[in-house]
Amino acid sequence: MPRSKAPRAQTVARPTPAASPVTFRAGCAREWVVASAEPDLAYTEQAFPECPACPHRVEPEETRPFCTLRPVGTAHPFAALAGLDLPE
């Protein structure tokens, strides 16, 4: 008697969020309106005179320096750590 094959599990494609205009802010307070669904962006142009000395500049090894752009009104990713009460 032939064995019946079990049905294959189907993967369901999740729709990606639609890109809509979002105002992103850099550490220097400059803002850009960009159509994006991303939670943050990397600004790699570094076109402003103060960019090389900016405290928000990230300089990873083996790639270009960048500044992280976050949507206006979004808390800093480490903001929740400010309220921690660590035992001594």
Side-chain angles (χ1 to χ4, degrees):
M1 178 183 267
R3 288 176 43 180
S4 63
K5 292 184 179 180
R8 286 185 163 177
Q10 293 183 357
T11 58
V12 177
R14 293 183 181 159
T16 54
S20 59
V22 178
T23 302
F24 287 89
R25 181 179 293 148
C28 64
R30 285 186 174 86
E31 295 182 353
W32 290 267
V33 176
V34 179
S36 177
E38 298 300 323
D40 57 25
L41 300 175
Y43 171 64
T44 58
E45 188 177 357
Q46 308 286 292
F48 304 102
E50 65 274 20
C51 285
C54 180
H56 303 280
R57 179 180 167 111
V58 178
E59 295 188 23
E61 291 182 20
E62 301 181 22
T63 190
R64 296 172 60 184
F66 67 91
C67 181
T68 300
L69 305 178
R70 291 188 182 85
V72 171
T74 301
H76 188 280
F78 300 123
L81 299 176
L84 290 179
D85 184 18
L86 300 173
E88 293 181 31

